Amino acid sequence: DLTRSLAHNINLSLNSPKKYFGVLSINQSMAIREDWYDETNDYVLNETTNSFEQVDRRGFAARHTFSYNASANTKLYGMIAPGIADIQAIRHVVTPSLSFRYQPDFTTDFWGYYKTYADTSGTETRKDRFRGTSSSGRSVNYSIRNLFQMKRGVGEEEKKFDLFTTDLSGGYNFKSETFPMSDLRTSWQANPGRNFSLSAGTTHSFYQWDSESGTRVNKYLSSDAGWKKANFMRMTNFRMNFSIRLQGKGDKDK
């Protein structure tokens, strides 16, 4: 079972020369792959067992696959001056991001990478002529980062530091027949002091849960009028971590 192949990869990146409307950044890229084989797969029907047997066909063959990716992001700013103690300002920075990935369905007849075979009953089966043809895909991913910063003090005593950050991310797979919506993941992290840090995170699912079988159901929580009860997602995971660092001064005499 020896497979000999040669692969050639081309990565093309198209970066926007400037921000659209002064705030929106868009990046695009395309990955192209070419594989050379000295043999391909063919299948012969064994009428006795009504099954297909693989046969290696010698000869040069090439397979071309590609994928396209695009992403967009921007930053939004907000600031308040609470006027509390020596706090000059608190700034809120929101960074939304959206990405899209597209890969054609290489199993269609247009590409010629798959062939259709029929058994004795006329049932058709599609087989891959190559080993490991890339699958298709169309998906969208999103994320939102919230950063809170503070500036306090005046003159030489002025200090700027990050209060805490929150991140939210998820996605949707258009080619998936089951559970196309990914879980919603959120995280929160704060460093109130140099020797203390705190972080937390949650995971939410948009699908219903079958308690009898102990598995999720390919049905949104908002179905069956669930949206009237604002039932859109359920928490499946919660985690929290904190760390503290204690250090004392040693005895000079010892």
Side-chain angles (χ1 to χ4, degrees):
D1 295 332
L2 177 64
T3 301
R4 294 179 295 275
S5 64
L6 179 66
H8 178 59
N9 300 316
I10 302 175
N11 293 315
L12 303 177
S13 180
L14 305 175
N15 297 320
S16 301
K18 63 179 180 180
K19 293 183 177 180
Y20 292 90
F21 310 107
V23 296
L24 181 63
S25 298
I26 298 178
N27 296 310
Q28 304 176 72
S29 64
M30 178 175 290
I32 302 174
R33 180 183 176 94
E34 181 179 38
D35 299 286
W36 293 354
Y37 292 89
D38 63 351
E39 64 181 24
T40 56
N41 297 336
D42 199 357
Y43 297 88
V44 177
L45 177 63
N46 186 332
E47 297 183 357
T48 304
T49 60
N50 194 28
S51 61
F52 296 101
E53 298 177 354
Q54 180 177 317
V55 178
D56 295 331
R57 300 297 186 188
R58 302 288 297 178
F60 174 80
R63 178 188 62 190
H64 304 84
T65 58
F66 67 92
S67 62
Y68 169 77
N69 296 271
S71 63
N73 64 81
T74 187
K75 285 183 181 291
L76 305 174
Y77 299 89
M79 186 176 296
I80 60 173
I84 302 175
D86 61 345
I87 300 176
Q88 294 190 31
I90 296 177
R91 187 172 74 164
H92 180 199
V93 184
V94 183
T95 308
S97 177
L98 185 68
S99 62
F100 172 75
R101 181 179 183 274
Y102 171 76
Q103 188 172 10
D105 187 358
F106 294 107
T107 64
T108 61
D109 295 334
F110 174 81
W111 303 98
Y113 302 154
Y114 278 73
K115 291 181 64 176
T116 302
Y117 302 87
D119 59 14
T120 55
S121 63
T123 303
E124 295 184 343
T125 303
R126 297 183 63 79
K127 297 286 188 179
D128 183 6
R129 293 177 54 233
F130 299 89
R131 295 170 174 86
T133 298
S134 299
S135 59
S136 62
R138 290 196 301 273
S139 61
V140 171
N141 294 289
Y142 59 88
S143 65
I144 301 176
R145 161 161 284 203
N146 292 274
L147 171 62
F148 292 86
Q149 300 171 310
M150 177 184 290
K151 182 171 69 173
R152 60 184 306 176
V154 181
E156 296 181 355
E157 296 182 356
E158 182 179 288
K159 294 181 180 179
K160 300 177 182 179
F161 55 92
D162 297 341
L163 288 175
F164 62 92
T165 58
T166 61
D167 291 277
L168 179 149
S169 63
Y172 189 89
N173 188 349
F174 294 94
K175 294 293 294 183
S176 178
E177 297 181 358
T178 58
F179 309 110
M181 182 78 74
S182 66
D183 291 342
L184 178 66
R185 301 182 183 276
T186 58
S187 63
W188 179 82
Q189 185 169 355
N191 297 285
R194 186 179 63 178
N195 298 323
F196 180 73
S197 64
L198 177 66
S199 64
T202 59
T203 302
H204 289 81
S205 175
F206 296 94
Y207 297 95
Q208 298 181 11
W209 178 264
D210 187 356
S211 57
E212 295 183 359
S213 61
T215 58
R216 61 176 179 170
V217 181
N218 188 33
K219 195 174 185 180
Y220 290 112
L221 286 166
S222 58
S223 303
D224 302 329
W227 59 271
K228 294 182 179 180
K229 302 178 182 179
N231 189 15
F232 297 100
M233 55 186 179
R234 57 182 178 84
M235 183 184 295
T236 60
N237 180 271
F238 173 79
R239 60 192 181 278
M240 178 179 289
N241 301 280
F242 73 92
S243 64
I244 186 170
R245 179 173 178 264
L246 302 176
Q247 183 178 358
K249 296 180 179 179
D251 191 338
K252 295 182 180 179
D253 297 335
K254 298 181 180 179

